[in-house]
Every structure is written in C-alpha cells, then in structure tokens.
Amino acid sequence: MKPRIILLLTVIALITFYTQPSFGHGVGGETLPPVLIDGKNATLSLNINPPIFDSTTGEYEILIRLYDANTQEVIPHVTYLVELSKDGKQLLRERFHDDSSNLSIKVIPKNGPIKIQGNNFGELGWMKNTDLFPLKIEGPIFLSGGLYKFHIEILTVNADSNVLKNPVKYDASISLAQKTIHQVSYEKKNYDIGVMTYYDVIQDFEFDEPSRTITFSMPYEWSQKNIEQTNVIHQELHIPKTFPELLVTRYDGLVNGIPILEHAITIDDYTTDSRIVHVVLNQKELFSMVDSIQDKSKIDFTITPSKMEKFPLNAFTHNAIFQVGLSWEPTPIMPDQNTRFFVDITRYFAPKIQEDAKFDLVIKQRGSELYRKSVTGLIGAQEKTNYYDYTFSEKNLGPVIISIEGINGEKLSSVDYVIVVSPKETKKTFPIRIPSTTQDRTQGNYFVDLTWIPENLQPGETEFIFTIYDRNLQPVPKAEYDFTILQNGQALYKNSGMAQAGGSFEDVIFFESNKGPITLQIENINQSDESIEIPIMVTPEFPLGLSLVLGTLFAIVIILYHKTGQILRHPF
C-alpha cells in the first residue's frame, strides 16, 4: 500500500472517530439515505468519474444506481428525472431510463447547447442504444471543478408501467476536486503554491510575505441543513520543497478567524516535488463554529507557519511495514552547531516488541549526498532511544532531505523527510521605520518609527510606541492620527489621537481569540490623506485546544489609554 494512501486513510480514520455515520456531500460521489419505495428500502448512489477536474479530461461519467439497502440488490426498470446545476445555474434537466437501474451517462465537456446521444422513449426518457453505444451528453457540463448539485426524482420502479403516483425525490451535492496554482513572491524569489479543493472552488488567494500567511476563501452555506449534509471539508496546500521558509514542522490554522484544532492540519512529504498540507474539518468541528460565524456564505482559511515545533515528524516506509518518527535538538537547525537527530521506529499495526534495527542514515541536498552512514538502533524502543549527530555548514542553508533507508535490509523499508537549515539568527532592532503613502500609493511626506513591547506579540497587554517624523526626520508636534488594528477585515480597535511632541503610544490587550495575523494602520497622519500599514503576527500563549475554548468564552477586550511624553526605544 502506498504511503500517501496510508496517510489519507489515517485522515479518514480521524474523521470517522470524531463524527457519527452520516450521508452528505461527497468528493466525486455520494450515497443518500434510504427511502421506502414500492415496499423496498431504496438507496440511491451517485458518482462522477474521474472525481478530479482536469481541463484536459475529454470525458466524464455519471453513474446512478438505485438498490435495496437491505439486500444490496438493484431495483430494476427505473426512470430518473435528473436535474443538474452549479452556482445556481441549471445545466441539465432530462429523463433517463435503465432496465438494470445501473444508469451510466458519458459526459463530454464542451461549450454550446446540450446534445444527447441515445434512444429517446418519451415518458421513459433517454436510454442507451447498446452496451457498445452508451448514453452520451455533450455540452457545458464539468467545464470547471467545484460543487455540482443534483435533484433526482424516481418516476418508475420494478416495471416500465409502474409509474409512481408520488415521485420520490433525492437531493445530492458532489464535489469535483480542482487544483489551482498561485504564484507568490518571497524575498525576491517566485514560488508556485497549489491548492487542491475537494469541495468548491477557492477564491481570493493571498500570500502575506512578512508573516508567510496563506489565505483563501470558498463558498459555503453555514446552515444547519447544509452542515448535516457535509461529512468533511478537505483542502490541500501544495508547497514546493524548494521554499524553505514554509517547510515547518507545524502550521496554525484559522477558519473565519476561529482557531482550528491541531489534528485538523497534517503534513504529507511523500510526493517528490511538493509538500502537501492537508486541512480537514469534520462535521463536528463545523457545528462547533457555526454560531460564531458572521458571514454565513463562505469559509475563510488562514494557514500560517507555527512558531512552535511539532515532534516527532511521523511517516510510513514505502512498504508500509514501519512507522518512523524524526525529531531533533536544538531547534531551529543552524549551521556550525551540532544537531542531534532522534529516529523512532515501530512496526505498523504490530505489537510493540523491541528488536534490533540496521539502516542507512542519509542526508541529501540539491541532488547530492552530504552524508551516508550505516547505523544500528532499536525497533519498538522508547522515544529518543536512537540518536545520531551531524553538523551542517553555511553552505547547507535551505531545504535538506533526511532519509532512513533499507531498514533491516528491506529496500522499500525507507522514508524521507524535508527539513530546513536556517541561517544564524541576527539581532533586529526597533524602531521599524515606515514611510507614509498617499491614497494613490505614492510616497508621502512623513515617516513613522514603530516599536512594540513585548517584542513577541502574544495574548496579553502590548504597548505600541510610535513617533511621527517629517521628511527631514524632525518630530511633527501635535500630529493627529487614527490608530487601527484589523483582523480578518474587521477592526478590532480604532482610536483617534494626537502625538503632542511627535510621539505617542497605545496600550492594547489581546486574547487567544486574536491569535494569527493582524494589520496595524496609522491613518490621516497630521490631517492628511497619508497613512502607514504593517502586518504583525499574534502568537499563541496557550495550547491550541485551550485557546479554542477561551476564544468562545471571552470577547476581545482592548484597553486603550493615551499618553504623551518621551519615546522609549528597545532593542530586540
């Protein structure tokens, strides 16, 4: 079994653990709750194949099957009225019939009017000619990924003449997964970040360079009925392995400004060219958020590299025999200092019994081996029993592949990890000098020196200290201003003030519910149209699970008082 399949099965297992069995919106397919039809407990299954949108795909298939939920036997001679729509626009409304109830409709995506190939039997609808000449529809169906809604009515069952007096109606929504590519720039380098959505098309993708935060949204109806039909919301971020600043061991996530639990974000490094970050929200988590959601028409996703490490990194060997955990000390990994790597090996789904292990520890970068050594260790031992040391040099900055190869001589008992060697930390000093800009985004006539204490923004009190200068770097006395803090497009705080001697400060208290990116703005500087803006990150103080609880218990409290006097400057 392939490792990616194992990881996806693990994700599905987590979803199953946290939710009750249900029927709902599916990725490529859906099975609807049974309904009593002509004395049988009838269940309708609906599938689209292939389940992933690709503009080069020339043909899709819609499969509809009506069967007895008790015996699994198909119900014969079914006439279906099929209505298909997307984004509120009807794409198809036709009758179809199949004597075996296994209705197969080939779909050829093409702009233009709907054309159907098959035999039309009037009230019974369209049927295939023969097995060699199936039903085909040519038209503007499946021209893009996203959520497709089906309304299906059962008109006849068991015999062509057995017309139901009251047609049985089913409603289903099926997601045609779609991957989009978004180019971002970081430190003057361009990278392509992919987003695979398994629900509906994404919108408003943005990347904030200072905080390395990825945001995007997706249409979603936050209603009781819709959540009951949603088994899971699943999105994937595809991050290039050449983008070291995003290859962290843990990511923090927000949905519509609400922190999501740690288990909702998992890392998959099995692919050769990119890391996949899975974001999975199950039905229980969607229900826990719904009362706090203001905009009920969409989901806003925010993914940020966490300042906290998550160890060990767990992966399965290519033959799925072993699970291997990797961690290291100290963090981050920097050149010219010894790094101790811990390798924990257990047999997958087997009793935890200690046994000897031999394998190769390999360190690779840019296609070349930096280090290879045959080592020994223990399988099934306590964490951090097996450890190995290595020191990187300044030449090794950036992504590095750590491989555990050939455990006990099995070539496929191997696994790879992506780590990053970071540059040595350099001291930055406050204040941050920011030039003002006008409404048309040209440089203005002022500079603002900005400092905040403490330097690591966390829940609690923060003092923002700033001085307003003119172009000659002279403090501007009695300079009026509007001080604003924004998060997710909403103003957490806005206050007007005056810097008596050019300088002033604002005291703000943040809570755990404010964790994540914020934007600080100082506008209308000295009664002009000029302003400054800077993105900042509020990092967590409590574990993520506790922060979610606190976020629902406490409202955002911001305390402000305005002072004048000498500006303090602190190095960090």
Side-chain angles (χ1 to χ4, degrees), residues 233-515:
I233 297 291
H234 181 191
Q235 309 281 25
E236 292 178 356
L237 287 178
H238 293 220
I239 300 172
K241 290 182 179 178
T242 55
F243 194 168
E245 292 81 5
L246 275 185
L247 299 177
V248 295
T249 62
R250 171 176 168 171
Y251 299 87
D252 295 331
L254 302 173
V255 167
N256 292 47
I258 301 171
I260 57 178
L261 300 178
E262 183 179 336
H263 74 256
I265 302 179
T266 56
I267 296 172
D268 171 5
D269 275 333
Y270 291 119
T271 52
T272 57
D273 58 347
S274 64
R275 161 180 285 186
I276 299 179
V277 180
H278 298 271
V279 183
V280 179
L281 301 174
N282 60 36
Q283 191 180 83
K284 181 179 179 180
E285 289 157 350
L286 294 171
F287 271 123
S288 74
M289 298 176 185
V290 64
D291 291 338
S292 301
I293 301 296
Q294 294 182 353
D295 188 343
K296 303 290 188 181
S297 66
K298 65 176 181 175
I299 290 183
D300 294 319
F301 294 92
T302 302
I303 308 297
T304 305
S306 178
K307 294 184 181 298
M308 301 171 63
E309 299 284 358
K310 180 182 178 181
F311 287 131
L313 300 179
N314 286 311
F316 298 96
T317 55
H318 300 304
N319 56 9
I321 293 177
F322 299 102
Q323 183 176 9
V324 182
L326 180 72
S327 57
W328 56 86
E329 294 176 356
T331 59
I333 299 172
M334 290 191 289
D336 302 325
Q337 70 174 19
N338 182 66
T339 300
R340 175 159 290 182
F341 291 99
F342 300 94
V343 180
D344 303 315
I345 306 173
T346 56
R347 286 191 177 273
Y348 188 51
F349 285 142
K352 193 172 183 179
I353 301 174
Q354 285 195 17
E355 56 183 298
D356 292 336
K358 294 182 180 180
F359 54 88
D360 285 350
L361 177 66
V362 186
I363 302 176
K364 295 171 282 190
Q365 188 176 51
R366 304 181 187 99
S368 300
E369 285 191 8
L370 304 179
Y371 177 82
R372 177 182 286 269
K373 184 177 181 180
S374 296
V375 297
T376 59
L378 287 175
I379 297 171
Q382 291 184 347
E383 285 189 3
K384 297 188 176 181
T385 297
N386 308 318
Y387 61 85
Y388 313 93
D389 295 339
Y390 187 78
T391 300
F392 294 95
S393 73
E394 290 281 354
K395 297 179 180 179
N396 303 137
L397 297 180
V400 173
I401 305 295
I402 302 290
S403 299
I404 308 300
E405 295 185 356
I407 298 174
N408 286 348
E410 290 286 341
K411 184 177 179 180
L412 293 178
S413 290
S414 304
V415 67
D416 301 322
Y417 303 88
V418 180
I419 66 170
V420 175
V421 180
S422 304
K424 294 180 180 178
E425 294 179 337
T426 57
K427 278 288 190 189
K428 297 181 180 179
T429 57
F430 277 136
I432 302 169
R433 178 159 293 168
I434 310 167
S436 68
T437 57
T438 63
Q439 289 184 352
D440 61 5
R441 311 310 295 172
T442 60
Q443 184 168 339
N445 297 305
Y446 302 97
F447 292 92
V448 177
D449 280 7
L450 178 65
T451 302
W452 56 84
I453 302 172
E455 63 196 45
N456 184 19
L457 241 61
Q458 289 185 334
E461 185 173 353
T462 298
E463 186 173 62
F464 294 95
I465 306 165
F466 53 93
T467 305
I468 299 173
Y469 294 100
D470 61 21
R471 298 191 72 172
N472 296 318
L473 295 181
Q474 296 299 310
V476 180
K478 297 184 178 180
E480 296 182 10
Y481 62 87
D482 292 332
F483 182 91
T484 308
I485 292 178
L486 298 166
Q487 189 169 54
N488 300 315
Q490 302 292 322
L492 297 182
Y493 173 77
K494 186 170 185 177
N495 184 68
S496 298
M498 178 182 291
Q500 293 287 349
S504 185
F505 65 85
E506 310 283 350
D507 284 349
V508 175
I509 292 179
F510 295 101
F511 281 93
E512 277 288 311
S513 56
N514 304 131
K515 182 177 70 71

Side-chain angles (χ1 to χ4, degrees), residues 27-28 48-60 86 107-110 139-148 174-180 195-201:
V27 179
I48 299 174
N49 187 39
I52 296 177
F53 172 76
D54 186 332
S55 60
T56 62
T57 301
E59 184 177 279
Y60 293 87
K86 184 176 187 291
V107 177
I108 301 171
K110 189 175 182 180
I141 301 174
F142 305 146
L143 290 173
S144 63
L147 195 65
Y148 287 83
I174 296 183
S175 299
L176 198 59
Q178 181 174 5
K179 182 178 180 180
T180 54
V195 181
M196 177 73 83
T197 174
Y198 291 95
Y199 191 84
D200 208 344
V201 293

Side-chain angles (χ1 to χ4, degrees), residues 33-62:
V35 177
L36 190 64
I37 302 178
D38 208 29
K40 295 183 179 179
N41 211 18
T43 292
L44 185 80
S45 68
L46 178 64
N47 290 275
I48 299 174
N49 187 39
I52 296 177
F53 172 76
D54 186 332
S55 60
T56 62
T57 301
E59 184 177 279
Y60 293 87
E61 183 179 22
I62 298 174

